[in-house]
Structures are given as C-alpha cells and as structure tokens.
Amino acid sequence: MVYAMRFLIFILLCILMSPLLIFGLIYYTLRIRRICVRHNISGTANEPYASRLMMHIAGARQDYAAYKIAGHLPSFDKLSKFLLIEILGFASKLSGYKGSFFAYPGQRPSTLMSMMSHRTDFFDRSIKESLTRTDNPAVQFVVLGAGYDTRCYDLSEVVDIQCFEVDMPPTLNSKIGALKSAGVPHDHVTFVETDFNQETWMEALLASGFDPNLTTYVLWEGVTMYLVEGAIRDTLNLVSSLPKGSTVGVDFFSADLVYGNPPYARISKAMHKSIKYYSEEIQFGVATAKTLSEGIEKLAGDSGLTLSRFEHVGSEEDKLPPWYFFAQIDNI
Ligand SMILES: C[S@@+](CC[C@H](N)C(=O)[O-])C[C@H]1O[C@@H](n2cnc3c(N)ncnc32)[C@H](O)[C@@H]1O
C-alpha cells in the first residue's frame, strides 16, 4: 500500500515535470549521436553508468565519484545532469519511491527493470569478498572495458589497492577529462588503452606497470557481448596465467538471445536495433547447454578456470527463460 502510494506520487511528479524530462531526454540522445558516436566514444557505457547514478541519487547505493563526474562527460554535461538526473532524483526523494530502476540490491528474481541493480550488486559482492578476505586477497584491481565505472574511486576508501582501467582511447580520454575537471583524485589508477579485438590487454597492461605475479581481481562487466569469441577466450587464458586466487567477474548474454533463437527472436531483433543507435554491435552470447550455467562452466574450464558463483536475471519459470548471466570465475 505504502509502496503503491509512493509510486503514484513519483509518477505524478514525473508528469508534472515531463516537459523538462522530455527536453532532457532529447538533449541527451542528441549528445550521444552528435558527440559520442561521432568521436567513437562508447555510447553504451552511459547505460550502466546512468543506472548507478540513479541508485546513488535515490540514496540506494553510494557512488560519489559517479555523481561528481556527471556534468563533465560528453553525454552528461551540466544541463543533461540537471534535466534528467537531478529531476528524477528529486521525484524519487520527495516520493520516497526507490523501486525497480532505483533499487539496490533490488528484488530477486530480478526483472528487465531491475537487472542493472542485480548486476551491480553481484559484482559489488564479488569484488568486496575478493579484496577484503584475509587469505590471499586480490591486491591489484583491473577494470576491462571500464567505461564510466567508478569502483576504483569509491574502493580507495575501503582498501589500498593499485587499479588499472582498460578501454579504447576515445572513451578512456573522455573519462580522464571528466575526472580531472570534476576534481576526483585518480593517482592510484593507471589508464591503459587497448582494443580487445586487436591486441592482448595483458601486453598493454604490462607496459603500464601491471605486476602479473600479484593476485588480481579482473572486473569485466558489460563487455563480452561486444566482442568476438576469440577475444573472450584470450582474456580467460590470460586470467589463468595470473597467480592462484585471481578472479574475473564477468557477465554474458545467452547465445539464444544474441542469435535470435526461439523464443527470443523478437527481443533479439529489438536489442540489435537499439544498439545500432550507438553504432555498436552485440556479437557474443554464451551457449547455455542443458543447465543455464553449463556453457560458462565449459568456457571457463577450457581455460583451466572454475566457475565459482553464478546468478541470472529472471526466473526459469518466466515466459522468456533467463538470458543474462553473472559469473565469478576463479583461478583455483
Ligand atoms: C557497456 S560498456 C560497460 C562499461 C563498464 N564496464 C560498466 O559496466 O559501466 C562497454 C565498454 O567496453 C568497451 N569496449 C567495447 N569493445 C571494446 C574493445 N574491443 N576493446 C576495448 N574496450 C571495448 C567500451 O568502450 C565501453 O566502455
């Protein structure tokens, strides 16, 4: 009852402020096309970033660095930050509504609306456990396809750790610019330029001071779907060359979703069409085989790694069976 009231007030506030929200949405999408796409800056990097920003502004999950750099990014300049983030945050705070999109850690089974909360919570738990355990904790943290992920900046309050953020140069440079102009300290972070489809990130990392003899957590969130299978296998092989206790946290779409097999034909078509807006392409999905986790177990096993944690969005009873998987893969 209280939840329904809060939701109603939230919707009413959004309707009242809809001219500003609609203008903000148009302005934001134009910036994606005119600035991000034109300069090869990842547009899709804004989707998970915006979700974490929403969770922060609703008071569900703290992410001060994400909030600070908003207003300094190619997509979220000061105007789009105000028109979208601040206004939605105001509506959420005034109504007390923190459902679905704003929730953290969010409901289980998760849904299409709460999948980003589930994903964020899965990786937060996995990272925290690996970095803070007493026995052989990870002492290096690598974010592959970092986009606008801000864990390196919020982490530094919990543990003293050397961080590496790896991405393609245009996206990386837009982030460095935002960190500088927002005044977010980033001396503990080494930025490494690479293209996973062209070269190994390990070579680029080694040239930047990465120590392959230290136990490492590799966060590879929201990236595998944009790569070819060879690049994914190469990355897993590299993780298996790191010391025992090293981990990769990674998410996969299902092969059925990516290749449009029934019953995913319609949603697959819609997904590929929407990603084209960003001039990016979804390329890889993991085969699920008999059980949902079997394909990932096999992929990890082929590189001598072990699937230690596995969760998925949705429930096996849903009309569309789960198609989005979160995995912690360890070098045991
Ligand atoms: C959807 S974003 C996810 C960003 C971030 N991990 C997060 O969860 O917020 C995908 C990121 O992967 C990067 N990426 C995609 N293909 C890549 C490639 N071939 N080489 C390096 N980075 C790549 C993009 O630039 C983008 O920043």
Side-chain angles (χ1 to χ4, degrees), residues 40-49 52 116 119 143-151 166-169 171-172 193-198 219-227 231 251 280:
N40 293 322
I41 297 167
S42 171
T44 56
N46 292 288
E47 291 185 5
Y49 168 71
R52 292 186 295 264
M116 285 308 303
R119 165 173 144 179
V143 190
L144 294 180
Y148 302 133
D149 182 281
T150 44
R151 286 190 177 85
V166 184
D167 211 304
M168 294 203 271
T171 307
L172 215 48
E193 299 179 358
T194 200
D195 179 345
F196 302 131
N197 286 330
Q198 304 286 330
L219 177 62
W220 200 18
E221 182 185 3
V223 188
T224 59
M225 45 295 274
Y226 300 98
L227 304 180
D251 50 346
E280 293 176 42

Side-chain angles (χ1 to χ4, degrees), residues 59-183:
R61 174 183 181 269
Q62 289 184 350
D63 195 340
Y64 291 108
Y67 185 64
K68 277 189 191 157
I69 62 170
H72 303 271
L73 289 167
S75 46
F76 284 102
D77 67 343
K78 288 197 167 57
L79 185 59
S80 41
K81 179 186 180 188
F82 171 73
L83 290 170
L84 292 175
I85 306 300
E86 303 287 10
I87 287 185
L88 283 176
F90 171 73
S92 161
K93 278 202 185 114
L94 202 65
S95 61
Y97 174 71
K98 286 184 193 177
S100 298
F101 203 64
F102 300 98
Y104 179 85
Q107 67 187 79
R108 301 287 183 280
S110 48
T111 63
L112 195 61
M113 285 295 284
S114 59
M115 71 180 187
M116 285 308 303
S117 312
H118 188 172
R119 165 173 144 179
T120 305
D121 173 53
F122 178 88
F123 292 116
D124 282 351
R125 279 184 279 128
S126 168
I127 295 164
K128 192 173 173 201
E129 192 276 321
S130 174
L131 267 54
T132 58
R133 67 187 172 217
T134 44
D135 182 25
N136 190 19
V139 290
Q140 275 181 140
F141 184 58
V142 177
V143 190
L144 294 180
Y148 302 133
D149 182 281
T150 44
R151 286 190 177 85
C152 286
Y153 311 92
D154 298 324
L155 260 184
S156 55
E157 288 166 14
V158 187
V159 281
D160 180 20
I161 194 156
Q162 183 61 37
C163 293
F164 297 83
E165 289 198 351
V166 184
D167 211 304
M168 294 203 271
T171 307
L172 215 48
N173 289 330
S174 71
K175 182 178 195 174
I176 297 169
L179 290 166
K180 281 186 181 155
S181 67

Side-chain angles (χ1 to χ4, degrees), residues 122-123 125-130 133 217-218 245-252 296 300 305-311 325-332:
F122 178 88
F123 292 116
R125 279 184 279 128
S126 168
I127 295 164
K128 192 173 173 201
E129 192 276 321
S130 174
R133 67 187 172 217
Y217 189 101
V218 178
S246 296
T247 296
V248 56
V250 55
D251 50 346
F252 295 98
I296 301 179
L305 299 169
T306 306
L307 175 66
S308 312
R309 275 188 200 180
F310 173 82
E311 290 178 22
F325 313 117
F326 310 132
Q328 176 179 315
I329 296 175
D330 289 308
N331 189 11
I332 293 173

Side-chain angles (χ1 to χ4, degrees), residues 11-27:
I11 293 295
L12 282 174
L13 288 169
C14 287
I15 291 170
L16 272 176
M17 295 182 288
S18 59
L20 290 175
L21 286 170
I22 291 167
F23 177 63
L25 206 58
I26 295 169
Y27 179 70

Side-chain angles (χ1 to χ4, degrees), residues 44 168 195-198 222-232 252-260 268 271-272 275-276 279-287:
T44 56
M168 294 203 271
D195 179 345
F196 302 131
N197 286 330
Q198 304 286 330
V223 188
T224 59
M225 45 295 274
Y226 300 98
L227 304 180
V228 294
E229 181 170 343
I232 289 158
F252 295 98
F253 283 169
S254 80
D256 288 338
L257 172 76
V258 172
Y259 309 124
S268 175
M271 177 188 74
H272 286 291
I275 294 294
K276 276 208 180 105
S279 293
E280 293 176 42
E281 194 186 352
I282 299 278
Q283 307 196 75
F284 180 79
V286 71

